[in-house]
Amino acid sequence: MNRRVRVRFAPSPTGPLHIGGVRTALYNYLFAKQNGGDMLLRIEDTDSARFVPGAEDYIVEALNWLGITIDEGVGVKQPGKHAPYRQSERKAIYRKYVDQLLDAGLAYIAFDTPVDLEAKRAEIANFQYDAKTRGLMANSLTLPADEVKARIERGEQYVVRIKIEPNEEIKVQDLIRGEVVINSSVIDDKVLFKSSDELPTYHLANVVDDYLMEISHVIRGEEWLPSAPLHVLLYRYLGWTDVMPEFAHLPLLLKPDGNGKLSKRDGDRLGFPVFPMNWKDAKTAETSSGYREAGYFPEAVVNFLALLGWNSGTEQEIFSMQELIELFSLDRVSKSGAKFDYEKGKWFNHKYLQSKPLEEVADLFQHILIGKDIVEDSEKVKKIVELVRERANFITDLWEQSSFFFIAPTTYDEKTVRKRWKDETPEQMQELIQLLDGIEDFSVENTEEIVKEWIAAKGYNMGGIMNAFRLSIVGEGKGPHMFDIISLIGKQETTARLQKAIEILALN
RNA sequence: GGUCCAUUCGUCUAUCGGUUAGGACGCCAGGUUUUCAUCCUGGAAAGAGGGGUUCGACUCCCCUAUGGACUACCA
C-alpha cells in the first residue's frame, strides 16, 4: 500500500514528558520527515483521574526546544483537519464506534464493579475476564436484555468490553521485530469504554483516532507490544484492516544501574536529569531537573537520544538533525533495551560546545554572568570563552573554569600552596611585580618574552615561578596559559593580585 | 504465576556463515603543557550456557539461564 506517511506522538498528560518519551517522539519525527510525511501530536487524556495541569504545555514546549516540530495537532496554530486532537474533546466521536461494536456483538456491556472484580481475582487464581469467565459475571451476555436496559436507565455504571474469541493465533507484523504471534485466549476482554466519564480507554481511543487521523505508522515504546494483538483485533472488528497502520515497537530505555525501565525517580536518585526541562510538581512543590536547565544543547540531547537504540551502521557519532532525518531507518533500530549512559550524554554536549560558533557560546555565557551581576565587555568575554571552553562540558561549567577572570581570589587552595609557595617565593613575586610594572605593552607575546628572560637571567626555576604566579592570580593550580590570563585581566589587576597573595600567604 | 520481547567489552553498539570480533563513552598508561583540564598515542576489556544444522557459526534452529515489558474502569 502506498500512502502518505503520517505518524503521531501521543503522550498522556500525566506529568512531564520523560526522556524515553522524547526519544519516541524523535524517532517518529525522523521517520516522518525522511519520508516527507506528517508528524502529529495527539494528547491522550482519556484518564480524567490522572490528568495533570501544565503537562500538555510542558510537552509542547519540550518538543519545541528540541527542534521536533509538529505538523498537525496540539501545539500547532492551525491544528489541522482532524481536530480536535485532545481525546477528551473527542468524546462524541468514540461513542459511535462503541455502538457499532455493541450492535455487531463484538463487544458487550459489563456491570461488574471494581470491588466485584477484586473479589473474583481473590477467589480465582489468575483470573482474567475472558471467554472462560465472562459467563460468571454481570454483563449483557449473562443478564436478560431488559435487565441490562433497566440497569442502564437506573444510572448504574458500566463498561463496554471487547469480546475476544478464544484460541486464535493473532499475528502482528512489527517493523523492528518481525512477526509476533499471540494466542487470543491469553488476551482478556479489555475495557474499551467506561460510562463513568463517557470516555473510551486507551485501546479504543487509540485505534479510532489512528484510523480517523489516517496514521500510516505507529511507532511507540515496547511496553505496547503485548497489547498490539488487541489493537489488530480492534482494527478487524471495526472493519479497518485494509488501512491498519504498520507497527514498530521501540526498545525501552533502562536504568543505568540495576534493573528495570528508566523512571522518573532515577533522575533524583542518580543525580542526572530524566526530563528535557525542569518540572515543578504542583502538589509536592518539588522540582525535577531537566536537560535544558542543566546546560545541555538541544542538539546534543537529540544526538545522544538518537543513538540510544539506533545507529547509522558507520562509525560516525555526531549527527545534525538533518543528517539524522536522512539516515534514520527503522530496520537499524536495535531490539533490546538500552541502559541510559549519562556519561556519554556529557561527552555529546562537550562535542557540541566545542563546535558551536564562539559568538553563540559567549552570548550564552554572558547570560550567566549577568545572573551573577557581572558586567563585562563582550569582546573580552569572547576571549575568555575561547580560552576555557575546551575544558568545559556545559555552558554552566564555563563559570567554574573562568571565574578568576572576573573575581580575584580571596582564598588560596591549600594543597597548591603547600606545593608551590616556598620560602623564597614572596621575594621572587615581589621582583615579578616590579618587572611587570615596568612593562608598557602587556600583550601575551611581550609579557611572556620578558618574564621568561627574567627567569632565565636570574637562574630561577621556571616551574617554581610560574606555579606560584598562577597560584597568586588564580587562587589554585589550574587554568589556561598564564600570559593569556594576565593580558586579559591587565597589568594593574595582575600586580594587585600578586601583592595580595604575598600578604595573605605570609600569614601562614 | 501466565504471555510476549530480548541477550557481543562495565555502557551504547558494528558484524546480516569464513574478521587478529571494529568503533564510541568510561577506565588505565604514556606524551604534550609553567598548572589543571583539553588534546594526541597506546592499553585492558565482549559473543550467557548447552545442544544441534554446516566444511565452517557471534551470526540459523532448539533447550536452559538471565534480563525486560505486559498482565487496571492507566496510558
Side-chain angles (χ1 to χ4, degrees):
Chain A
M1 201 193 316
N2 205 359
R3 61 168 154 164
R4 183 173 178 81
V5 168
R6 285 170 62 80
V7 301
R8 84 295 195 277
F9 178 54
S12 167
T14 53
L17 180 59
H18 120 312
I19 206 75
V22 171
R23 194 196 55 173
T24 302
L26 176 64
Y27 284 16
N28 270 282
Y29 173 77
L30 296 177
F31 183 78
K33 295 300 106 180
Q34 178 175 73
N35 293 289
D38 308 317
M39 166 80 172
L40 323 217
L41 176 63
R42 185 172 73 215
I43 300 294
E44 310 230 327
D45 52 353
T46 53
D47 185 1
S48 13
R50 292 211 310 160
F51 179 79
V52 173
E56 181 187 303
D57 288 342
Y58 179 96
I59 291 164
V60 171
E61 196 186 338
L63 296 179
N64 192 41
W65 176 64
L66 290 158
I68 298 172
T69 54
I70 304 300
D71 299 304
E72 190 177 318
V74 172
V76 180
K77 281 194 184 74
Q78 301 285 327
K81 62 173 179 173
H82 299 288
Y85 291 88
R86 267 179 217 98
Q87 292 186 329
S88 59
E89 293 168 9
R90 297 172 63 80
K91 239 182 206 185
I93 296 168
Y94 306 115
R95 184 73 232 192
K96 176 180 155 196
Y97 299 102
V98 172
D99 289 337
Q100 180 186 327
L101 256 17
L102 246 19
D103 293 344
L106 297 168
Y108 58 95
I109 288 169
F111 295 100
D112 319 273
T113 65
V115 177
D116 295 339
L117 292 169
E118 207 44 60
K120 270 286 183 274
R121 287 190 190 107
E123 180 191 331
I124 302 170
N126 295 327
F127 172 81
Q128 173 173 287
Y129 211 122
D130 62 13
K132 283 202 294 285
T133 59
R134 61 188 167 228
L136 277 31
M137 311 301 288
N139 54 50
S140 58
L141 266 20
T142 57
L143 268 19
D146 53 345
E147 189 186 336
V148 171
K149 203 176 160 217
R151 284 196 185 207
I152 293 173
E153 275 164 8
R154 222 185 295 145
E156 194 169 315
Q157 289 198 347
Y158 63 91
V159 297
V160 174
R161 285 179 182 274
I162 186 170
K163 191 177 171 203
I164 305 271
E165 297 305 330
N167 224 1
E168 190 200 337
E169 302 283 291
I170 314 286
K171 292 184 177 131
V172 179
Q173 297 300 334
D174 186 279
L175 261 12
I176 295 169
R177 283 149 221 285
E179 184 176 87
V180 176
V181 184
I182 226 179
N183 191 292
S184 63
S185 298
V186 303
I187 310 175
D188 61 334
D189 289 352
K190 280 265 178 315
V191 171
L192 299 179
F193 179 88
K194 45 222 155 72
S195 72
S196 58
D197 54 8
E198 296 277 304
L199 245 23
T201 59
Y202 171 83
H203 304 292
L204 209 234
N206 188 260
V207 167
V208 168
D209 286 346
D210 283 347
Y211 167 75
L212 293 175
M213 295 177 185
E214 302 175 81
I215 299 302
S216 64
H217 298 262
V218 169
I219 303 170
R220 72 224 307 188
E222 194 186 350
E223 69 268 30
W224 293 109
L225 192 53
S227 52
L230 172 75
H231 302 154
V232 168
L233 230 34
L234 234 21
Y235 277 98
R236 193 190 296 172
Y237 279 12
L238 260 0
W240 301 336
T241 309
D242 55 335
V243 289
M244 184 171 79
E246 296 193 65
F247 293 101
H249 290 92
L250 268 19
L252 263 15
L253 254 31
L254 272 17
K255 291 179 197 299
D257 61 338
N259 312 318
K261 164 161 93 151
L262 184 69
S263 73
K264 311 189 184 220
R265 278 194 176 174
D266 292 322
D268 306 324
R269 190 171 60 84
L270 271 11
F272 61 78
V274 293
F275 299 114
M277 313 176 307
N278 277 5
W279 167 261
K280 283 168 286 297
D281 189 294
K283 276 187 207 136
T284 63
E286 275 176 288
T287 300
S288 306
S289 68
Y291 281 86
R292 186 176 66 180
E293 289 78 2
Y296 274 84
F297 291 110
E299 298 94 320
V301 176
V302 163
N303 198 150
F304 173 41
L305 249 25
L307 258 32
L308 230 41
W310 172 85
N311 73 87
S312 68
T314 68
E315 286 177 0
Q316 184 177 349
E317 300 250 26
I318 302 295
F319 298 92
S320 67
M321 188 70 101
Q322 199 49 48
E323 287 175 300
L324 290 172
I325 289 169
E326 282 159 25
L327 296 167
F328 183 77
S329 86
L330 285 173
D331 46 53
R332 291 204 67 87
V333 171
S334 49
K335 297 180 176 70
S336 50
K339 282 191 184 167
F340 192 79
D341 181 11
Y342 186 65
E343 286 303 321
K344 188 125 189 193
K346 277 156 68 168
W347 176 79
F348 275 109
N349 209 67
H350 179 258
K351 285 290 189 190
Y352 278 88
L353 181 58
Q354 308 316 314
S355 63
K356 287 266 177 186
L358 185 58
E359 289 72 21
E360 191 181 329
V361 178
D363 192 53
L364 288 166
F365 187 46
Q366 269 288 11
H367 290 297
I368 291 176
L369 293 178
I370 289 164
K372 294 182 185 296
D373 287 325
I374 291 169
V375 180
E376 194 55 84
D377 171 64
S378 73
E379 275 309 303
K380 192 169 164 187
V381 170
K382 229 159 90 177
K383 282 184 186 154
I384 292 169
V385 168
E386 191 175 17
L387 287 177
V388 302
R389 79 149 146 191
E390 64 187 20
R391 44 220 313 149
N393 288 329
F394 304 102
I395 289 285
T396 44
D397 291 346
L398 255 23
W399 171 251
E400 193 189 313
Q401 295 298 336
S402 69
S403 60
F404 56 85
F405 279 106
F406 310 98
I407 300 169
T410 51
T411 59
Y412 301 88
D413 181 64
E414 221 177 289
K415 244 178 98 178
T416 314
V417 172
R418 246 180 285 131
K419 197 169 165 193
R420 310 291 194 191
W421 200 264
K422 308 294 185 199
D423 293 341
E424 66 277 18
T425 307
E427 199 178 319
Q428 292 170 335
M429 292 301 109
Q430 202 63 61
E431 287 176 37
L432 182 55
I433 292 173
Q434 302 289 310
L435 180 73
L436 294 171
D437 206 37
I439 300 177
E440 280 306 312
D441 172 12
F442 222 65
S443 67
V444 179
E445 298 75 19
N446 199 45
T447 50
E448 177 159 8
E449 195 187 327
I450 293 173
V451 172
K452 281 187 174 170
E453 269 172 20
W454 164 71
I455 291 171
K458 284 283 188 171
Y460 291 150
N461 173 277
M462 173 81 109
I465 298 293
M466 293 309 293
N467 286 312
F469 189 16
R470 175 178 300 281
L471 176 65
S472 307
I473 303 300
V474 176
E476 50 190 315
K478 67 164 197 187
H481 194 59
M482 271 315 291
F483 300 100
D484 281 320
I485 299 176
I486 62 167
S487 108
L488 272 167
I489 63 176
K491 180 167 41 172
Q492 214 186 343
E493 178 69 14
T494 302
T495 51
R497 286 191 190 187
L498 279 166
Q499 194 62 55
K500 192 175 164 197
I502 293 167
E503 287 161 21
I504 292 182
L505 292 172
L507 303 173
N508 285 358

